[in-house]
């Protein structure tokens, strides 16, 4: 299964990628389980791609 993902900041596209999940890993999963697996894959991708830094200035 291939999943196209796009990351936008303030409505502007900054990154896109294609994530893959091997069909054999999905096996006999229900639709809900497959959706959950996709969400986990996307969250992992976002965690790798997005960094936010901040500091208190006053």
């Amino acid at each position: 299964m291939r999943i196209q993902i796009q990351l936008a900041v303030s409505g502007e596209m900054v990154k896109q990628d294609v994530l893959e999940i091997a069909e054999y890993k999905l096996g006999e999963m229900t639709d809900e389980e497959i959706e959950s697996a996709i969400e986990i894959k996307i969250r992992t991708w976002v965690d790798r791609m997005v960094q936010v830094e901040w500091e208190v200035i006053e």
Side-chain angles (χ1 to χ4, degrees), residues 3 5 7 15-21 37-53:
I3 304 137
I5 185 169
L7 176 66
K15 179 80 174 165
Q16 63 182 14
D17 205 349
V18 174
L19 306 179
E20 293 189 38
I21 301 175
I38 292 168
E39 289 173 355
I40 290 167
K41 188 83 170 173
I42 291 170
R43 277 195 302 268
T44 301
W45 181 88
V46 170
D47 287 345
R48 283 193 333 265
M49 294 295 147
V50 176
Q51 296 177 348
V52 176
E53 296 181 13

Side-chain angles (χ1 to χ4, degrees), residues 26-37:
L26 300 176
E28 307 253 338
M29 291 178 146
T30 65
D31 288 345
E32 291 81 20
E33 290 170 330
I34 291 171
E35 185 175 325
S36 180

